[in-house]
Amino acid sequence: MKEFLTFTKKEFLHIFRDTWTMMIILVLPLVMMLLFGYAVTTEIRNTNIGILDYSKDETTRSIINRVQESEYFTISNYFNSYDEIDQSFKSSENSLVIVFGENFSENLLHLRKADIQIVADASDPNAAKTLVNYLSNIIGSTLKDLNKTTIENYEIKPELKLLYNPLMKSSYNFVPGVMGFIIILVCAMMTSISIVREKEKGTMELLLASPTSPITIIVSKLIPYFVISLINIITIFLVSYFIMGVPINGSLFWIFILCILYILVSLSLGILISTVSDTQLMALVISAILLLMPSMLLSGMLFNIESMPLILQGIAQAMPAKWFISAIRKLMIMGVDAKYVLHEFGALLLMEVIIIGISLKKFKKRLE
Amino acid sequence: MKAVRVNNISKAYKGKLALEDISFEVEKGELFGIIGPDGAGKTTLFRIMTTLILADEGEAKVDDYDVVKDYKLIRERVGYMPGRFSLYQDLTVIENLDFFASLFNTTVEENYDLIKDIYKQIEPFKDRRAGALSGGMKQKLALSCALIHKPSVLFLDEPTTGVDPVSRKEFWHMLKNLQKQGITIVVSTPYMDEANLCNRIALINNGEFLDIDSPQNLIKKFPKKLYSVEGDNMPKLLKTLRANDNIETCFSFGDCCHITLNNETKDNDYKEIQPSIEDYFIRLSK
């Protein structure tokens, strides 16, 4: 027991004395939270929009007012001719332009139709599509309000009701994602690197030549990373709850059980990577390519898994992060009972058993 | 009981033989040297004796324990200092020492007597990180760590490589003191001049032992008279000597050449000298 404590203490000293390790495991999680929360947001807000109005009448003015009032758009430019539009896109002054045809109000009144055109910069197709949707909704509802006395303009419109995240806040999506990513980073990558560092620096040779069992050596190396991961999880929860207003609807108990299980899976992955790598660089590359990147791209955090090609969907199933993120979304955001995430728990548990099995088999009590 | 007994050990790495049929014994309390150039197989042999790797063939025993079956018991009773400085550079001197003490379930205080003479020299720097120590101090710290659990056999793999001449001398002095305290020491080195300080030495080259004996006996075994020839232009001197039919062997040694003759002639101009371990090693490994 005493040697176990000395080992753990030594491991903490390694971490505390290395500025870069400290930055990665304690500062990076916060930076990621803030980046995703405020900078890389997928929500649309304050998009610059340009107006080319050939009519300048009552109706166009009220549409423009509505657009201006909405939180999504800010009017940046008023154009006088079509030629100016192209220039404004190229100089990135705005990414959207509304063009009103001539005699807008009169045409609408007499011909029951009027010319309106939305020009969008589709170099980012997803954003363009969302913007056009928002804008068409605003225009549609304005026209509807203006014409509400006329019965002929009667039309059926679907009404969407968004459950669990009615405001479509992206923080509901990225908080579980950031947690999934950070734990893989701290547990799998940093642990594997710290174990391989002992091999590379030759200290593993001395440890193995001592009577201390290899299992003690490894387990005591994992403890600090386990503790730090828990601290990270709690920090992320506090930041997301108090600063970003993400609700915690489900049982805290089950959320923590899930986090602990996921931390254990990640730690075992770290051991596994350390048994196949001989250099720190190799451990870094393996964990970055096989774990970090897929945990970001294939976990459902950034892209929807169901719309991926089949082969990528298959790979995604093997990512612990995918199961963790799915379960934490259900527990935290939807607030479901633990029995609805049995599937995810089962998958993580199965992974843990397999990974520990392989690691123990591959683990050496000698140098080669 | 012998401290170390090695029987017919062979070891190959990816088909390349690193050790070939090595056998030797080390008496209790002996200072045994394994002398040979880099790549001769010294580190492989040390790792087999310290249970870190397995030999392909043959068996080895330390304190009568088998290195394969009883590896745990051996790990408890040997001290090992690898060739490369392998302590934690980001921990301080005292932290390293404490760590290795608890690794062997002991404390620094318990065996302080054993390391006192060595540790006293680095104690003023005990709060300095190991990475910031000079080469000689690093080596003293490594030796202290290897000794902290009072091992019965001490394995030192090239302890003096990369250390300045003064510290090397000091280090061998420390080894002699440890030997007086009853610790068996097996040490390897590429420096032939250190061989004379061992009780017995084994000469190793290309994974094979060339000879095992005391340094004095090994020198006596040199079969010929050895002469030294000096000259200003070494390449030219070598060329001239090698062209001479009566000269059997000729090797450059610093600013002179050591030669042996096929037929000893009376009063030749060459200066006869006492052969050294190195002369004998070169002759054997030819």
Side-chain angles (χ1 to χ4, degrees):
Chain A
M1 194 59 209
K2 193 182 146 275
E3 62 180 343
F4 192 74
L5 286 178
T6 345
F7 254 108
T8 311
K9 186 185 142 208
K10 175 211 110 192
E11 207 52 47
F12 268 118
L13 286 178
H14 286 323
I15 295 172
F16 291 151
R17 289 194 181 158
D18 186 35
T19 323
W20 281 110
T21 310
M22 284 292 279
M23 296 281 273
I24 290 177
I25 62 182
L26 293 176
V27 180
L28 188 70
L30 279 179
V31 172
M32 275 192 76
M33 282 293 282
L34 296 177
L35 268 181
F36 275 98
Y38 295 105
V40 206
T41 174
T42 48
E43 291 164 42
I44 288 167
R45 216 176 275 144
N46 296 330
T47 308
N48 283 336
I49 189 166
I51 307 284
L52 173 57
D53 190 353
Y54 286 117
S55 308
K56 294 204 170 78
D57 56 32
E58 197 187 335
T59 322
T60 59
R61 213 169 299 127
S62 53
I63 292 176
I64 292 168
N65 280 341
R66 283 284 190 94
V67 172
Q68 176 79 298
E69 280 163 13
S70 86
E71 56 173 318
Y72 307 117
F73 301 104
T74 311
I75 292 173
S76 58
N77 283 322
Y78 288 96
F79 302 109
N80 293 319
S81 78
Y82 216 90
D83 300 333
E84 297 169 11
I85 296 179
D86 195 44
Q87 195 51 46
S88 74
F89 277 118
K90 282 183 179 150
S91 57
S92 302
E93 286 165 46
N94 44 242
S95 45
L96 206 63
V97 172
I98 315 178
V99 185
F100 297 102
E102 285 175 358
N103 303 325
F104 194 85
S105 290
E106 274 182 41
N107 286 349
L108 200 64
L109 200 64
H110 298 121
L111 304 173
R112 292 245 155 264
K113 68 172 195 188
D115 291 332
I116 183 164
Q117 185 186 28
I118 299 176
V119 188
D121 169 11
S123 54
D124 179 352
N126 286 333
K129 207 190 279 175
T130 318
L131 286 173
V132 170
N133 271 339
Y134 280 177
L135 195 56
S136 329
N137 279 341
I138 294 173
I139 296 169
S141 67
T142 315
L143 289 178
K144 201 174 142 200
D145 290 346
L146 290 175
N147 293 358
K148 60 185 163 205
T149 43
T150 46
I151 304 160
E152 287 119 296
N153 263 19
Y154 176 76
E155 51 184 323
I156 300 172
K157 276 213 159 176
E159 186 174 306
L160 296 175
K161 183 168 162 59
L162 299 161
L163 292 173
Y164 309 118
N165 188 1
L167 298 173
M168 298 277 274
K169 277 199 178 168
S170 63
S171 54
Y172 286 26
N173 181 37
F174 78 77
V175 167
V178 169
M179 276 198 267
F181 182 81
I182 289 297
I183 290 176
I184 284 279
L185 181 85
V186 171
C187 293
M189 188 171 102
M190 298 307 279
T191 0
S192 65
I193 288 177
S194 108
I195 296 175
V196 175
R197 186 187 296 133
E198 303 239 9
K199 281 201 216 173
E200 207 177 300
K201 300 249 166 178
T203 45
M204 194 53 109
E205 195 170 345
L206 275 182
L207 296 181
L208 285 177
S210 80
T212 306
S213 80
I215 299 294
T216 313
I217 298 174
I218 296 302
V219 172
S220 55
K221 278 195 95 68
L222 301 185
I223 302 264
Y225 292 96
F226 182 84
V227 173
I228 288 165
S229 300
L230 278 184
I231 295 175
N232 276 330
I233 290 274
I234 292 170
T235 323
I236 294 177
F237 270 131
L238 291 178
V239 170
S240 63
Y241 187 79
F242 287 108
I243 300 182
M244 303 182 170
V246 179
I248 300 177
N249 294 325
S251 116
L252 264 184
F253 174 78
W254 283 109
I255 290 176
F256 270 91
I257 294 286
L258 176 75
C259 289
I260 288 171
L261 178 62
Y262 180 61
I263 291 174
L264 291 179
V265 173
S266 309
L267 287 173
S268 324
L269 276 172
I271 302 179
L272 187 63
I273 292 171
S274 77
T275 61
V276 295
S277 340
D278 293 322
T279 62
Q280 293 182 63
L281 186 67
M282 192 171 157
L284 180 80
V285 170
I286 292 182
S287 26
I289 291 178
L290 291 185
L291 287 177
L292 284 184
M293 252 170 43
S295 294
M296 195 84 161
L297 302 176
L298 300 180
S299 63
M301 173 194 184
L302 293 180
F303 308 112
N304 191 8
I305 295 178
E306 277 78 29
S307 46
M308 290 176 191
L310 268 180
I311 178 153
L312 288 184
Q313 285 194 35
I315 297 174
Q317 306 303 316
M319 285 296 128
K322 182 243 161 181
W323 299 99
F324 170 76
I325 291 173
S326 153
I328 201 102
R329 263 187 201 151
K330 289 187 190 173
L331 283 175
M332 196 169 123
I333 314 287
M334 292 166 71
V336 299
D337 214 51
K339 67 174 179 244
Y340 293 103
V341 288
L342 277 182
H343 198 56
E344 284 85 351
F345 267 98
L348 285 174
L349 216 60
L350 181 73
M351 284 180 186
E352 172 70 357
V353 172
I354 294 173
I355 297 166
I356 282 280
I358 301 176
S359 314
L360 284 182
K361 228 178 131 96
K362 285 195 81 82
F363 198 80
K364 301 162 199 131
K365 58 180 195 260
R366 297 177 202 273
L367 273 181
E368 53 175 30
Chain B
M1 191 178 86
K2 308 278 185 194
V4 179
R5 180 179 301 179
V6 171
N7 288 328
N8 312 103
I9 287 282
S10 293
K11 171 83 187 172
Y13 287 112
K14 289 173 188 152
K16 199 181 164 293
L17 221 49
L19 289 177
E20 195 177 353
D21 201 22
I22 300 280
S23 300
F24 68 98
E25 285 174 351
V26 180
E27 302 289 337
K28 268 218 157 311
E30 198 177 12
L31 177 51
F32 189 87
I34 296 174
I35 320 284
D38 289 343
K42 299 189 297 287
T43 300
T44 308
L45 183 58
F46 270 79
R47 285 179 172 169
I48 290 173
M49 291 188 289
T50 50
T51 78
L52 289 171
I53 57 177
L54 297 173
D56 298 336
E57 278 167 58
E59 54 160 25
K61 285 190 162 146
V62 177
D63 276 353
D64 260 1
Y65 293 111
D66 187 87
V67 290
V68 182
K69 274 205 318 273
D70 309 316
Y71 75 95
K72 277 203 167 138
L73 291 164
I74 293 181
R75 287 179 184 184
E76 270 169 33
R77 52 196 306 128
V78 304
Y80 174 44
M81 189 173 149
R84 196 158 51 122
F85 179 70
S86 302
L87 301 178
Y88 295 103
Q89 315 240 7
D90 54 340
L91 300 188
T92 64
V93 168
I94 189 72
E95 280 165 351
N96 267 298
L97 203 56
D98 271 334
F99 175 71
F100 282 96
S102 63
L103 202 58
F104 288 89
N105 259 317
T106 179
T107 57
V108 177
E109 292 73 36
E110 208 171 314
N111 293 314
Y112 188 72
D113 276 351
L114 191 63
I115 60 161
K116 196 175 62 191
D117 290 340
I118 305 160
Y119 181 60
K120 253 196 337 228
Q121 304 174 46
I122 47 172
E123 201 162 14
F125 312 102
K126 69 185 170 112
D127 291 321
R128 190 181 284 190
R129 300 211 180 153
L133 294 176
S134 71
M137 288 201 283
K138 276 184 183 165
Q139 178 207 38
K140 279 168 196 150
L141 175 60
L143 184 61
S144 303
C145 289
L147 279 171
I148 194 67
H149 58 295
K150 209 172 190 324
S152 74
V153 186
L154 191 57
F155 290 99
L156 308 170
D157 188 9
E158 297 201 12
T160 52
T161 302
V163 175
D164 65 276
V166 178
S167 299
R168 270 169 62 187
K169 216 167 161 188
E170 250 179 34
F171 190 79
W172 278 90
H173 184 69
M174 290 189 281
L175 292 191
K176 282 287 182 191
N177 276 338
L178 289 171
Q179 194 191 3
K180 277 182 202 140
Q181 304 193 48
I183 295 176
T184 311
I185 301 170
V186 181
V187 56
S188 75
T189 176
Y191 303 116
M192 302 283 170
D193 57 321
E194 292 179 340
N196 293 313
L197 301 162
C198 302
N199 296 118
R200 284 193 306 142
I201 53 176
L203 298 177
I204 185 173
N205 195 29
N206 289 328
E208 280 180 284
F209 272 9
L210 304 173
D211 203 348
I212 308 171
D213 213 328
S214 69
Q216 298 75 21
N217 286 342
L218 286 176
I219 290 168
K220 277 184 204 151
K221 283 183 188 171
F222 198 82
K224 294 256 180 167
K225 281 186 174 169
L226 186 74
Y227 301 97
S228 169
V229 182
E230 281 177 45
D232 293 333
N233 189 340
M234 184 55 73
K236 201 175 165 199
L237 179 64
L238 272 171
K239 214 170 153 190
T240 319
L241 290 171
R242 283 186 176 149
N244 186 333
D245 286 341
N246 195 31
I247 290 177
E248 186 202 20
T249 61
C250 167
F251 294 102
S252 66
F253 261 75
D255 54 358
C256 57
C257 278
H258 290 186
I259 57 168
T260 55
L261 304 176
N262 284 323
N263 299 304
E264 297 292 337
T265 48
K266 284 219 171 115
D267 31 85
N268 54 40
D269 303 339
Y270 309 129
K271 184 176 76 182
E272 190 178 346
I273 51 162
Q274 185 72 35
S276 67
I277 301 278
E278 193 161 359
D279 291 307
Y280 185 57
F281 181 86
I282 290 174
R283 194 175 177 87
L284 285 183
S285 59
K286 205 166 52 124

